[in-house]
């Protein structure tokens, strides 16, 4: 396109998203406790950003679509469920916290992102922070020593206990996150984005290398996310070169495999994945037990859940953690929030997929990268639970996907090139394009 055919971009909204991204990388030692509720810095940011979300909607920057109503309904249901199951103080503080981490994170991304250019700019500006934190994770793992969080704790005069958990001869590093699992799945989720978004040169290479450094969290969820992402990226490469490797065939074969595992084996697909995808046999068995007894809790309390009460399980299951994000939501708040969230995710993926079929090559690859990142993340949290900034990032990515998918579907997304009309009459082809 000629230079005069471009639409001027307003990048201030993306800069706000980048600011939130860097605030999310702050260590937990900077969290503040108010009325017994832990408030991370990013939560202050999101609560203040609610005015930004409201103003951008009133000015018509983004319009309501079905996924937005689903997210609003799911977030409101969390308030209702907690009102039924908890005391007032816990009800209010927890409801505000979950509204910020889920609802506001989603709608903030809806307001901030409108085009693939916004996504690319976000990835480019986030790269320095991600690279530095990934380097910290690597150093901590290799040196078998926590570096970042004890350093920040000493600066603030805070003492803390930083356990050392080792696997494969490495320490499970956490970097700025409260748990290695959160660090691992957070960094790994960027792999399809940096690989396919359309960045060139050293930013693309550094972004890819940064995502692979999530290996040093030695987390099964991170390794599984990297493995599945690379499989999808490889299949995407094959689909561009061989007509037989279509995505329709991929989904058909995947459905057949899952069906065969579910009904052709005694364990079922979930149990087999947990058994062979986990680095620790005990944690794999524990996840199977969590699913078995957690679903019984949901059956007893399907509408409003149990809040933050102890969930029912055998006495010999000492740990009360629930390593399954979707199941955790159902146990705590009932079936409505995870179902609305899952439907929103599916609608976002479908909207992006429809647009990828009609976009130019570079944009098509970027859309596929976002589809892969969101899908792998949604599947990855079947085996782990996410909270704090990692939970915020998932819902930001979901809001980003809805914005890009639905705005492109209407064909009038701000930030895209203006429509170009060829002048009347024959246009001579440049000499280098004449067939010889």
């Amino acid at each position: 396109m000629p230079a005069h055919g471009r639409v001027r971009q307003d990048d201030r909204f993306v800069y706000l998203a980048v600011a939130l991204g860097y605030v999310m990388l702050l260590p937990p030692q900077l969290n503040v406790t108010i009325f017994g509720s832990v408030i991370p810095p990013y939560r202050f940011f999101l609560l203040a950003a609610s005015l930004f979300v409201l103003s951008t909607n009133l000015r018509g920057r983004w319009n309501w679509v079905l996924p937005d109503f689903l997210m609003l309904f799911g977030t409101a249901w969390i308030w209702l469920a907690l009102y039924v199951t908890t005391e007032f103080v816990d009800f209010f503080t927890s409801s505000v916290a979950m509204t910020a981490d889920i609802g506001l994170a989603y709608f903030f991304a809806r307001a901030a992102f409108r085009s693939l250019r916004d996504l690319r700019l976000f990835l480019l500006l986030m790269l320095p922070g991600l690279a530095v934190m990934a380097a910290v994770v690597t150093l901590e793992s290799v040196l078998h020593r926590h570096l970042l969080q004890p350093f920040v704790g000493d600066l603030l005069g805070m003492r803390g206990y930083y356990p050392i958990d080792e696997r494969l001869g490495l320490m499970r590093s956490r970097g700025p996150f409260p748990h290695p699992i959160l660090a691992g799945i957070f960094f790994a989720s960027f792999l399809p984005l940096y690989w396919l978004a359309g960045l060139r040169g050293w930013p693309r290479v550094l972004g890819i290398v940064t995502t692979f450094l999530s290996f040093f969290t030695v987390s099964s969820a991170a390794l599984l996310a990297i493995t599945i992402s690379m499989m999808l990226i490889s299949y995407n490469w094959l689909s561009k070169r061989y007509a037989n490797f279509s995505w329709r065939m991929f989904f058909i074969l995947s459905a057949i495999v899952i069906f065969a595992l579910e009904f052709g084996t005694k364990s079922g697909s979930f149990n087999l994945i947990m058994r062979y995808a986990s680095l620790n046999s005990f944690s794999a068995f524990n996840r199977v037990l969590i699913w078995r007894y957690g679903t019984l809790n949901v059956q007893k309390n399907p509408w409003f859940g149990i809040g933050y009460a102890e969930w029912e399980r055998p006495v010999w299951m000492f740990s009360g953690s629930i390593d399954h994000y979707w199941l955790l939501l159902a146990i705590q708040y009932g079936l409505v929030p995870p179902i609305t969230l899952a439907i929103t995710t599916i609608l976002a993926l479908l909207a992006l997929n429809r647009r990828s079929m009609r976009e130019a090559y570079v944009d098509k690859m970027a859309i596929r990268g976002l589809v892969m990142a969101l899908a792998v993340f949604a599947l990855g949290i079947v085996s782990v639970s996410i909270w704090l900034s990692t939970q915020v990032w998932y819902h930001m990515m979901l809001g980003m996907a809805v914005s890009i998918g639905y705005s492109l579907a209407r064909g009038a997304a701000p930030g895209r090139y203006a429509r170009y009309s060829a002048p009347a009459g024959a246009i001579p082809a440049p000499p280098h394009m004449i067939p010889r």
Side-chain angles (χ1 to χ4, degrees):
M1 291 294 296
H4 65 270
R6 295 181 182 272
V7 176
R8 291 189 63 184
Q9 308 276 343
D10 188 350
D11 297 330
R12 292 173 298 173
F13 303 108
V14 184
Y15 296 155
L16 283 175
V18 172
L20 174 59
Y22 276 89
V23 172
M24 288 161 54
L25 292 176
L26 296 176
Q29 284 71 25
L30 297 175
N31 296 350
V32 178
T33 302
I34 300 178
F35 297 116
S37 178
V38 177
I39 306 179
Y42 73 77
R43 201 168 286 166
F44 288 108
F45 188 103
L46 283 171
L47 292 173
S50 60
L51 299 176
F52 160 73
V53 173
L54 180 61
S55 64
T56 53
N57 180 250
L58 294 177
R59 287 184 293 169
R61 178 173 168 83
W62 58 279
N63 298 316
W64 288 82
V65 293
L66 179 57
D68 300 331
F69 292 105
L70 289 172
M71 288 297 298
L72 187 64
F73 181 72
T75 305
W77 191 273
I78 291 177
W79 281 75
L80 177 61
L82 288 175
Y83 179 79
V84 172
T85 59
T86 60
E87 298 294 333
F88 179 79
V89 175
D90 293 334
F91 147 72
F92 183 76
T93 57
S94 300
S95 297
V96 171
M98 294 304 296
T99 299
D101 292 8
I102 295 178
L104 286 179
Y106 169 85
F107 285 106
F108 176 83
R110 287 283 283 119
F113 294 91
R114 299 297 296 149
S115 69
L116 292 172
R117 181 187 184 278
D118 294 340
L119 171 61
R120 294 181 179 113
L121 181 60
F122 175 79
L123 293 174
L124 190 63
L125 295 179
M126 282 297 300
L127 184 55
L130 293 175
V132 169
M133 289 303 168
V136 170
V137 167
T138 304
L139 286 174
E140 289 183 342
S141 180
V142 173
L143 297 176
H144 293 256
R145 177 184 176 187
H146 295 286
L147 300 174
L148 178 62
Q149 295 193 34
F151 174 75
V152 176
D154 290 341
L155 288 179
L156 299 177
M158 300 171 56
R159 293 184 178 182
Y161 172 65
Y162 308 99
I164 294 180
D165 184 11
E166 296 184 350
R167 286 182 183 175
L168 304 178
L170 297 169
M171 187 190 78
R172 301 187 65 194
S173 174
R174 61 185 66 191
F177 295 88
H179 197 280
I181 289 177
L182 301 180
I185 198 169
F186 179 86
F187 287 111
S189 67
F190 284 90
L191 177 56
L193 296 175
Y194 279 110
W195 197 295
L196 298 172
L199 301 181
R200 297 180 179 180
W202 67 265
R204 179 174 182 266
V205 175
L206 180 59
I208 293 172
V209 171
T210 296
T211 61
F212 276 108
L213 294 181
S214 61
F215 168 81
F216 289 96
T217 62
V218 202
S219 168
S220 303
L223 298 181
L224 185 61
I226 290 176
T227 302
I228 296 178
S229 296
M230 286 305 303
M231 290 173 59
L232 293 174
I233 291 171
S234 300
Y235 190 89
N236 182 65
W237 181 84
L238 290 173
S239 69
K240 293 183 296 183
R241 285 159 177 79
Y242 304 99
N244 291 332
F245 288 90
S246 66
W247 282 103
R248 177 175 297 180
M249 185 186 73
F250 174 84
F251 291 122
I252 292 174
L253 291 177
S254 299
I256 292 174
V257 170
I258 293 175
F259 181 84
L261 292 176
E262 189 66 31
F263 298 99
T265 64
K266 295 181 180 180
S267 300
S269 56
F270 178 79
N271 291 352
L272 286 175
I273 292 173
M274 291 301 98
R275 183 185 305 172
Y276 293 104
S278 179
L279 295 176
N280 186 293
S281 58
F282 174 78
S283 63
F285 179 66
N286 191 55
R287 283 178 169 87
V288 173
L289 294 176
I290 289 171
W291 174 256
R292 180 185 304 170
Y293 294 107
T295 52
L296 295 178
N297 283 256
V298 176
Q299 291 176 10
K300 292 181 179 180
N301 307 276
W303 290 107
F304 303 113
I306 62 173
Y308 300 119
E310 281 291 325
W311 58 291
E312 296 181 11
R313 60 191 186 277
V315 293
W316 42 265
M317 287 184 64
F318 301 105
S319 175
S321 64
I322 301 174
D323 296 328
H324 192 308
Y325 181 66
W326 304 102
L327 180 62
L328 175 64
L329 292 178
I331 291 176
Q332 292 182 335
Y333 315 116
L335 286 170
V336 173
I339 289 176
T340 55
L341 183 56
I343 295 175
T344 302
T345 303
I346 293 172
L347 291 176
L349 294 173
L350 291 176
L352 289 172
N353 184 63
R354 284 194 299 268
R355 289 313 306 167
S356 70
M357 301 302 176
R358 292 183 287 175
E359 287 295 312
Y361 175 79
V362 175
D363 285 350
K364 179 186 293 187
M365 292 300 104
I367 293 173
R368 287 186 182 178
L370 182 55
V371 169
M372 293 177 191
L374 182 59
V376 170
F377 207 134
L379 292 174
I381 54 180
V382 167
S383 64
V384 297
S385 182
I386 53 174
W387 64 96
L388 296 179
S389 55
T390 305
Q391 180 176 231
V392 170
W393 170 235
Y394 175 76
H395 294 95
M396 278 187 66
M397 198 182 334
L398 179 57
M400 186 191 311
V402 171
S403 271
I404 294 174
Y406 278 82
S407 62
L408 290 177
R410 291 192 295 271
R416 293 189 57 79
Y417 295 138
R419 188 177 299 278
Y420 176 73
S421 300
I427 303 176
H432 68 278
M433 296 182 64
I434 299 177
R436 299 185 184 277

